[in-house]
Amino acid sequence: MKKDKNKKQNELQQKILKGFLNLLPSIIVLLIIVGAALYVINTKAPTETKEPIPPYAYEGGDEPVVVDNGQLKLTMDPKTTEFSIEVKDSGKVWYSNPQGAAEDAGALDDQKNYLQSPLVMSYSITQGLETTYNSFAFSAQNGIYEIVPGENEIRVNYSLGSVQKEFTIPPVITQTNFDKFMANLEKKEVDLIKQYYKKYDINKLTPKDDKDALLANYPIMETEVIYVLRTATKDNVRKTIQDKFEAAGYTYDDYLADKELDLSTSSSDTPIFNASIVYKLDGKDLVVEVPFKDLDFDPETPIYTITPLPYFGAGGPDDTGFMVVPEGGGALINFNNGKTSQSSYYTNVYGWDMCLSRDAVVHNTRAYYGVYGISEGNDSFVCILEEGRSYASIQADIAGKNHSYNFVNAKYSVCQREQYDVGDIANSEIYEYATKLPDETLTQRYKFVNSGSYVDMAKTYGEYLQNEYAGYLDLVSDTSTPVAIEIVGAIDKVKQIVGVPVSRPLKLTSYNETTEILNELTAMGLSNMHVKLQGWCNGGVNQKVLSKAKTVNALGSKKDLQNLINTAEANGNTVYLNGVTQYAYDSNIFDGFFSYRDAAKLISKERAELYQYSNVTYAQRENADNSYFLLHTDIANKYADNLVKAAQKYSAGASFQDLGMDLSSDFYRKKTYSREAVLNEQVAKLEAYNDGGTPLMINMGNDYAVPFCQMVTNMDLRGSEYTILDECIPFFQLAVHGRVDYTGRAINTCGNMENEVLYSAEYGAGLCFELMKESSFATQKTLYTEYYGAYFDSIKDNVLEIYTRYNNELGHTFNQEMTGHENLTTDVSCTEYADGTKVYVNYGYTDYTAGSVKVPARDYIVTR
């Protein structure tokens, strides 16, 4: 019995031990968690101490600061940092800011401050509130800047903010010294000063006084009775007290000694910013630089935008002149045109950065070149945006709105931001900013022209491009009109397969049919054709990612494709294989695309998933199945290489649907690319492809991409004809015509065939046609109804008619420079070429007659 009892006790002990051993890991984990929690609770997180931004201080004299390189003379007023620049060979003087702006009767005080500022910047906060500072009110008037002259340059270091002025009065003073100085003043003066000082005696503190804090701030108080200046004392009172102390014999050395007694740290809620502008004289050019490395700001209040020289060359109410803006090929805004009820001009250089989220799109603004200018009388300048132009937007406005001056400038986005959706936990908007800036410099080059003609301004820009891209913008050898033929290969259409809706490629033009079309066009007399094959691979027009290029079986074999390319080349034409390299449409892991790995990242580090926008509400169509992704820059570069390799395999050219047109940054955590860095990547790629012998075609034609391409299609010739604009001009085309082939939109599918032909004639563009072999009925019940006018059999007679006349009259001009342009009336223009050929275009609905020249309504004529 006793043995059984002992046996049961042993069994019970073993069960308890076994249970404990089983629970031991859980107990250890629990203890670790409890210990970690206790550590966190009892450990104070290190507090970050914000280093105050040290403001600059002007210590120079009143003499003007002058630099002169023999061609330009820059004279700066040291009191305001405004300057004038004299062009020696013409005698013209341009001013950084309008003369007499301080007395402008049409401006409020704030606007007068802006008019007198060579630098304007804005900062933002987490809630998105944007505040603007100008250098006149927030730097020059406070004396918190410095001027550093150099060889042919002047650097101005600005501190912008509300900085407390320094007065030679004691912040803290012992009673002994205080009484000594007060003995030299009258009683009423002493009484006045005592109102603004508080007396502290360690033996007579009030219950409200914090003894420990007072001793920490004023250690001398332990042995001396002291007076402390009240922090709320205003500047005008401080100035009065300074005068009284000075009269009492108080010196700057006394002030420095008394400052040593004050260990308190006073901080202001008003942010301070440091920024520098460097003005360099480079031959006859003024180069303006804003280095990012010299921007100093608190990450809690990041610099959002910077506008250098916002009013350089601004025209006054009595001046005659105009501003050139990069709308379409170019546009003019006349000084004082009276359109004060119209919105100001604004455009984004290279369009929207697709890696920045937006909730709605009403209208996309885009300029494909970063240039603006001002003409006044017989003189003008063009401002060419160089490094950092991808961050720029160009804005212009006329006199009579906020002030009396006409101006145009470039405004740069510095710290990009993204809005968070926190509607469930906060009523206000919350933004995150990219506060880590790349080592880049915003650079603007002002080229001064001894002529008031926009043609001469454009030719000056053209000479700049030829020097900048030496060897890439030589005159072409065209002897006939360049024609872009855009062939639509395959599109996708939903079909029922075993009752399941599946998207499958639908043939619109096979490789063999393309060969037949090109042969027929050649027989009709067309030559110098640049053939873009759209939808030739990876599923069609809505192309899957180019992890590899796979032909569409429905279009034919690889042999058929090679035969097409060989036949076109034998007839003197070039075939370009078109591809999407920056976006992922309808692609998944089986296509080689994994969005969490391959998509670009927004500032929030979320995937850059993009959506179409409603034409009715302008909002994102987030519920649609047509979202797509912006690709990580490294992946986009890889896909561009893959497209070029495929083109080289077939001895064809490469056509980029997006490269050279769209430009987006990438906030990928492991490898971030600024928008300017992506621009440089695109330039390097295009240059390498060109040097490797691959013919290139792009859309739109951003200025940095054009020099490396043989053909640019879909160039925006006319732009949006905003009401504030007075004239449309071919500014960009005057600069590049004869050095690169370009076309406008496809004439037969653009929606207004007549207008597009007239635009092409005025802007010196080639012709573009979009063609397919299948009839328009094939696109029914698809998302591709824009191809309704591309049916070759129904359009070929129009193609022949338009081409034959255009080529007979203008074919000889495409290897020449465009040398002149004039808007004769609001509806009639005249474009001139190097050999004297003139092209008159009449957009009006009545005939135009001038001397022996008669231009029928809605037509063009050519004289030689």
Side-chain angles (χ1 to χ4, degrees):
M1 198 91 171
K2 192 172 182 182
K3 284 184 179 181
D4 291 341
K5 186 176 181 180
N6 290 336
K7 184 178 181 181
K8 287 180 179 180
Q9 286 180 344
N10 290 336
E11 290 177 353
L12 180 62
Q13 290 175 355
Q14 287 178 358
K15 287 181 179 181
I16 293 173
L17 180 60
K18 185 177 181 180
F20 175 76
L21 291 175
N22 289 335
L23 290 173
L24 185 59
S26 300
I27 295 172
I28 292 173
V29 171
L30 179 62
L31 291 174
I32 291 173
I33 292 173
V34 171
L38 291 173
Y39 176 80
V40 170
I41 293 171
N42 293 286
T43 302
K44 288 186 177 180
T47 57
E48 292 186 9
T49 57
K50 293 182 181 179
E51 291 291 332
I53 296 174
Y56 298 107
Y58 181 63
E59 298 177 352
D62 296 336
E63 291 297 317
V65 182
V66 180
V67 290
D68 188 333
N69 70 347
Q71 298 183 65
L72 298 174
K73 179 182 178 181
L74 190 153
T75 305
M76 179 173 288
D77 181 352
K79 295 180 181 179
T80 63
T81 69
E82 297 178 35
F83 65 88
S84 65
I85 188 157
E86 179 187 354
V87 182
K88 292 291 190 73
D89 58 3
S90 69
K92 172 67 176 178
V93 178
W94 296 95
Y95 296 94
S96 64
N97 300 84
Q99 300 298 287
E103 290 78 40
D104 183 8
L108 299 175
D109 288 343
D110 282 349
Q111 289 297 325
K112 291 177 182 179
N113 292 338
Y114 287 118
L115 289 171
Q116 298 175 82
S117 299
L119 177 70
V120 172
M121 57 142 286
S122 71
Y123 73 91
S124 192
I125 58 176
T126 304
Q127 287 75 26
L129 180 65
E130 188 176 350
T131 304
T132 303
Y133 278 179
N134 62 79
S135 62
F136 179 75
F138 290 89
S139 184
Q141 287 194 323
N142 292 336
I144 49 174
Y145 63 94
E146 64 181 16
I147 300 174
V148 185
E151 184 178 356
N152 292 330
E153 70 174 48
I154 297 177
R155 169 186 284 266
V156 182
N157 299 319
Y158 290 106
S159 293
L160 296 99
S162 298
V163 179
Q164 192 176 56
K165 293 182 179 178
E166 187 176 54
F167 294 89
T168 310
I169 56 177
V172 179
I173 187 171
T174 63
Q175 183 177 19
T176 304
N177 287 335
F178 185 82
D179 293 341
K180 180 180 72 173
F181 290 113
M182 293 303 99
N184 299 326
L185 300 176
E186 296 181 4
K187 184 178 183 303
K188 63 179 181 179
E189 295 175 317
V190 174
D191 291 341
L192 172 67
I193 292 173
K194 283 187 174 181
Q195 291 179 38
Y196 298 98
Y197 278 89
K198 184 170 183 180
K199 183 178 179 181
Y200 286 108
D201 185 339
I202 197 169
N203 298 315
K204 299 179 181 179
L205 296 178
T206 67
K208 293 183 179 180
D209 293 329
D210 186 338
K211 181 179 179 180
D212 292 337
L214 287 171
L215 285 173
N217 291 335
Y218 318 113
I220 189 67
M221 182 180 155
E222 193 164 4
T223 57
E224 298 271 0
V225 177
I226 61 172
Y227 285 89
V228 177
L229 181 68
R230 298 181 186 273
T231 55
T233 306
K234 295 182 178 180
D235 284 356
N236 62 329
V237 177
R238 290 172 187 259
K239 179 65 170 64
T240 301
I241 295 174
Q242 177 180 265
D243 294 341
K244 302 300 181 186
F245 266 101
E246 184 179 2
Y250 192 78
T251 65
Y252 191 72
D253 288 338
D254 294 325
Y255 167 67
L256 293 177
D258 287 337
K259 277 184 69 176
E260 297 291 330
L261 305 180
D262 184 9
L263 301 185
S264 64
T265 55
S266 60
S267 62
S268 172
D269 292 334
T270 305
I272 302 293
F273 305 89
N274 283 347
S276 299
I277 299 187
V278 184
Y279 304 105
K280 295 181 178 180
L281 304 186
D282 182 12
K284 198 181 172 182
D285 299 349
L286 169 65
V287 179
V288 179
E289 298 179 347
V290 179
F292 276 175
K293 65 181 180 181
D294 293 333
L295 298 181
D296 200 359
F297 56 89
D298 187 331
E300 296 295 321
T301 54
I303 295 177
Y304 188 47
T305 64
I306 281 183
T307 309
L309 299 184
Y311 299 101
F312 186 89
D318 301 320
D319 294 328
T320 301
F322 57 80
M323 298 169 282
V324 177
V325 294
E327 184 58 36
L332 305 183
I333 303 174
N334 293 325
F335 286 178
N336 313 302
N337 65 14
K339 301 177 182 179
T340 54
S341 62
Q342 301 301 320
S343 299
S344 58
Y345 177 78
Y346 181 92
T347 190
N348 293 303
V349 177
Y350 308 137
W352 184 258
D353 184 339
M354 301 301 286
C355 211
L356 301 176
S357 60
R358 49 183 175 171
D359 293 329
V361 175
V362 177
H363 174 65
N364 270 315
T365 63
R366 165 190 284 278
Y368 48 91
Y369 56 102
V371 179
Y372 64 85
I374 288 181
S375 171
E376 183 180 314
N378 295 321
D379 296 277
S380 60
F381 70 82
V382 288
C383 180
I384 302 169
L385 310 186
E386 296 186 324
E387 186 179 355
R389 62 189 182 271
S390 60
Y391 308 125
S393 55
I394 293 174
Q395 52 190 7
D397 212 348
I398 57 170
K401 293 184 178 180
N402 298 318
H403 48 70
S404 304
Y405 297 94
N406 309 271
F407 69 92
V408 57
N409 60 49
K411 181 178 183 179
Y412 297 87
S413 296
V414 179
C415 294
Q416 306 285 5
R417 70 183 183 185
E418 181 182 349
Q419 182 180 345
Y420 276 95
D421 183 8
V422 290
D424 295 335
I425 59 174
N427 293 324
S428 61
E429 298 174 341
I430 301 296
Y431 290 83
E432 182 177 356
Y433 294 83
T435 56
K436 187 176 181 181
L437 299 180
D439 186 13
E440 298 170 355
T441 299
L442 304 179
T443 307
Q444 299 181 174
R445 179 177 295 271
Y446 294 80
K447 299 187 76 70
F448 300 101
V449 185
N450 298 343
S451 166
S453 165
Y454 62 78
V455 173
D456 292 330
M457 296 168 70
K459 302 310 285 185
T460 299
Y461 174 50
E463 292 168 2
Y464 167 85
L465 290 176
Q466 293 164 39
N467 291 330
E468 190 74 7
Y469 300 99
Y472 292 99
L473 280 176
D474 298 330
L475 287 171
V476 299
S477 57
D478 292 344
T479 56
S480 62
T481 301
V483 184
I485 302 295
E486 300 185 345
I487 298 292
V488 185
I491 60 174
D492 56 285
K493 185 174 184 178
V494 175
K495 299 180 179 180
Q496 297 290 332
I497 299 178
V498 196
V500 179
V502 179
S503 179
R504 286 286 184 265
L506 173 67
K507 175 189 77 70
L508 296 184
T509 315
S510 69
Y511 304 137
N512 287 335
E513 288 170 340
T514 301
T515 303
E516 293 171 4
I517 289 174
L518 295 181
N519 286 339
E520 189 169 350
L521 290 173
T522 300
M524 290 162 56
L526 274 72
S527 60
N528 195 13
M529 287 187 284
H530 299 259
V531 184
K532 180 194 294 187
L533 287 189
Q534 304 178 100
W536 70 278
C537 74
N538 291 22
V541 170
N542 194 35
Q543 172 211 293
K544 298 181 185 296
V545 293
L546 277 168
S547 54
K548 60 180 179 179
K550 184 179 180 181
T551 56
V552 178
N553 292 333
L555 300 183
S557 65
K558 294 179 181 179
K559 185 177 179 180
D560 294 334
L561 176 59
Q562 187 66 68
N563 179 61
L564 157 62
I565 294 168
N566 293 342
T567 303
E569 185 179 1
N571 290 326
N573 306 311
T574 305
V575 174
Y576 300 79
L577 303 183
N578 188 66
V580 176
T581 61
Q582 296 195 59
Y583 302 100
Y585 295 100
D586 192 27
S587 301
N588 55 41
I589 193 72
F590 299 105
D591 304 307
F593 174 71
F594 181 48
S595 63
Y596 291 94
R597 177 195 64 195
D598 300 333
K601 298 298 189 293
L602 306 176
I603 295 174
S604 62
K605 306 310 176 188
E606 294 179 1
R607 296 169 298 163
E609 187 171 8
L610 309 176
Y611 300 89
Q612 302 295 334
Y613 291 85
S614 168
N615 294 325
V616 178
T617 66
Y618 308 117
Q620 288 182 351
R621 294 174 173 171
E622 293 190 17
N623 295 327
D625 295 327
N626 57 356
S627 70
Y628 58 104
F629 292 92
L630 176 69
L631 290 170
H632 175 42
T633 303
D634 289 347
I635 301 297
N637 288 340
K638 176 184 174 183
Y639 290 170
D641 289 341
N642 290 348
L643 177 62
V644 171
K645 288 176 183 176
Q648 291 172 343
K649 175 183 175 182
Y650 291 101
S651 300
S655 169
F656 293 99
Q657 186 71 20
D658 40 31
L659 183 66
M661 178 177 70
D662 292 349
L663 184 65
S664 301
S665 51
D666 182 1
F667 300 97
Y668 205 86
R669 190 183 303 276
K670 293 181 179 179
K671 198 170 184 181
T672 298
Y673 286 89
S674 68
R675 200 181 193 205
E676 192 72 10
V678 175
L679 183 153
N680 294 331
E681 289 279 317
Q682 289 192 8
V683 169
K685 286 290 180 185
L686 292 171
E687 184 175 6
Y689 300 151
N690 179 285
D691 292 349
T694 302
L696 300 177
M697 176 187 285
I698 59 172
N699 281 313
M700 186 63 73
N702 290 346
D703 54 4
Y704 61 83
V706 164
F708 309 109
C709 300
Q710 282 64 49
M711 170 59 81
V712 179
T713 58
N714 294 294
M715 183 176 280
D716 187 3
L717 302 177
R718 197 78 173 182
S720 298
E721 298 183 30
Y722 301 115
T723 309
I724 196 171
L725 305 178
D726 293 298
E727 296 182 37
C728 294
I729 61 172
F731 185 89
F732 187 76
Q733 290 71 26
L734 279 159
V736 303
H737 189 276
R739 300 180 183 279
V740 64
D741 291 334
Y742 56 88
T743 75
R745 295 183 297 166
I747 291 170
N748 57 310
T749 56
C750 68
N752 193 325
M753 185 182 299
E754 190 177 49
N755 263 5
E756 197 63 33
V757 173
L758 295 179
Y759 293 156
S760 299
E762 180 185 1
Y763 286 76
L767 302 176
C768 180
F769 300 99
E770 196 163 36
L771 305 175
M772 64 183 185
K773 186 62 177 176
E774 295 290 337
S775 72
S776 302
F777 294 106
T779 63
Q780 291 183 345
K781 297 182 179 180
T782 73
L783 298 175
Y784 300 95
T785 54
E786 68 265 26
Y787 299 136
Y788 69 96
Y791 180 34
F792 176 65
D793 289 343
S794 67
I795 196 68
K796 62 182 177 182
D797 290 340
N798 282 338
V799 171
L800 177 60
E801 180 184 356
I802 292 170
Y803 171 81
T804 301
R805 181 192 171 195
Y806 199 89
N807 185 59
N808 288 341
E809 299 185 22
L810 285 169
H812 66 287
T813 64
F814 290 95
N815 57 9
Q816 302 179 42
E817 288 191 354
M818 187 186 292
T819 57
H821 180 272
E822 182 181 2
N823 285 313
L824 304 175
T825 71
T826 54
D827 292 324
V828 181
S829 67
C830 176
T831 305
E832 187 171 358
Y833 294 93
D835 68 349
T837 298
K838 292 185 178 180
V839 183
Y840 294 86
V841 178
N842 184 359
Y843 295 98
Y845 291 87
T846 58
D847 295 348
Y848 170 82
T849 303
S852 60
V853 176
K854 181 177 180 180
V855 189
R858 306 291 293 167
D859 202 356
Y860 68 92
I861 67 166
V862 179
T863 64
R864 301 177 66 176

